[in-house]
Amino acid sequence: MSIVLHDLAGADPDLRFSPYCWRTRFALAHKGLPVETLPWRFSDREAIAFSGQGKVPVIRDDGKVVFDSWTIAEHLEEQYPAPTLFGGATGRAHALFVNSWADAVLVGGIARFIVRDLMDIIDPADHAYFRSSREARFGQSLEAVQAGREDRLTAFRDLLLPIRLVLRRQRWLGGASPSYADHIVAGTLMWPRCASRFELLEGNDPVSEWQGRVLDLYGGIGRSAKRA
Ligand SMILES: N[C@@H](CCC(=O)N[C@@H](CS)C(=O)NCC(=O)O)C(=O)O
């Protein structure tokens, strides 16, 4: 039986762009688990009310409901140990650092480049909620948050230096093979890739080259994902 994933979608149901849902998509694919993804929009509150909270990803796995991408990864590792996502307890502890860094630094950093672009792809029913919730978060209009983004690119790219330094010594963040650490960062980068046409990375950046390798994993689910 397939695992069901409630997955953030745009007005176009095939446009899937959540940084957290992509982490889960890659983790499921890594384990070779079949998944049925259900498009979810910010206004579909009732569709995930059964989970007792209001954010995606949410999965249903054989009657068990799990939400939060990190908790889902832990659940998958426990239920389906091979192939491993973390490579043991130490790898899991290190992946938790990557997850926290991605949430605290990368997601906020990327948001300032694409948050206005998201208005162009989300469902019109989500517009008022999205604008008011995000403007309250940033304390500015979406247009003001995104303004001058070209001038901020160098500072953003500098944030990725730790990733570059790791990739200089090894092919994957997981070492010799991809692990959930790769899914966290590559899943987060699926967000700007799918939701916006603004290019955050230069083609010759080692991070872009590694991203290309992740896009081709698991039958190319990342590469073939619909883009804005
Ligand atoms: N910590 C959660 C974050 C999930 C999250 O923020 N999801 C966003 C979509 S990318 C969401 O569902 N937002 C609903 C809202 O803002 O109302 C995770 O890792 O899964």
Side-chain angles (χ1 to χ4, degrees):
M1 199 171 57
S2 285
I3 291 174
V4 173
L5 167 66
H6 294 264
D7 187 11
L8 183 65
D12 175 348
D14 294 331
L15 188 58
R16 307 296 176 90
F17 58 92
S18 157
Y20 304 105
C21 294
W22 270 106
R23 296 178 198 183
T24 298
R25 288 285 301 281
F26 284 136
L28 287 162
H30 181 93
K31 293 208 175 273
L33 294 166
V35 60
E36 180 192 353
T37 67
L38 301 180
W40 180 84
R41 300 194 175 83
F42 293 104
S43 44
D44 290 343
R45 294 287 155 193
E46 302 88 77
I48 57 167
F50 66 87
S51 70
Q53 53 88 61
K55 292 182 177 181
V56 292
V58 176
I59 64 161
R60 282 179 200 258
D61 180 10
D62 198 21
K64 189 160 193 272
V65 173
V66 191
F67 60 87
D68 182 82
S69 56
W70 177 261
T71 310
I72 293 171
E74 289 190 310
H75 163 83
L76 296 177
E77 188 75 344
E78 199 177 304
Q79 293 298 311
Y80 313 96
T84 180
L85 276 176
F86 299 122
T90 305
R92 180 195 194 116
H94 292 165
L96 181 56
F97 171 77
V98 176
N99 203 65
S100 306
W101 175 80
D103 289 356
V105 177
L106 202 49
V107 170
I110 293 171
R112 289 174 173 76
F113 288 89
I114 63 164
V115 73
R116 173 60 188 81
D117 292 348
L118 292 169
M119 286 291 283
D120 297 331
I121 59 151
I122 61 176
D123 195 273
D126 289 346
H127 278 171
Y129 164 74
F130 186 81
R131 180 177 280 283
S132 66
S133 60
R134 272 49 180 181
E135 290 188 345
R137 192 177 293 171
F138 286 103
Q140 278 180 305
S141 71
L142 300 184
E143 288 73 13
V145 175
Q146 202 174 280
R149 58 184 172 176
E150 289 78 9
D151 303 334
R152 294 185 272 111
L153 265 177
T154 305
F156 173 77
R157 289 172 183 160
D158 287 349
L159 282 181
L160 303 175
L161 182 60
I163 303 289
R164 244 168 249 129
L165 293 176
V166 173
L167 294 172
R168 204 179 276 173
R169 302 177 77 110
Q170 58 194 47
R171 191 166 164 79
W172 305 98
L173 300 182
S177 55
S179 76
Y180 192 59
D182 293 271
H183 305 150
I184 294 163
V185 178
T188 306
L189 292 175
M190 288 300 285
W191 181 33
R193 178 180 163 85
C194 296
S196 170
R197 288 166 187 243
F198 188 72
E199 293 292 342
L200 283 173
L201 303 177
E202 289 178 298
N204 63 356
D205 185 333
V207 177
S208 293
E209 289 160 14
W210 158 85
Q211 182 189 24
R213 294 198 287 281
V214 180
L215 291 172
D216 289 331
L217 289 171
Y218 319 125
I221 54 164
R223 174 90 55 203
S224 60
K226 191 154 193 177
R227 303 178 70 182

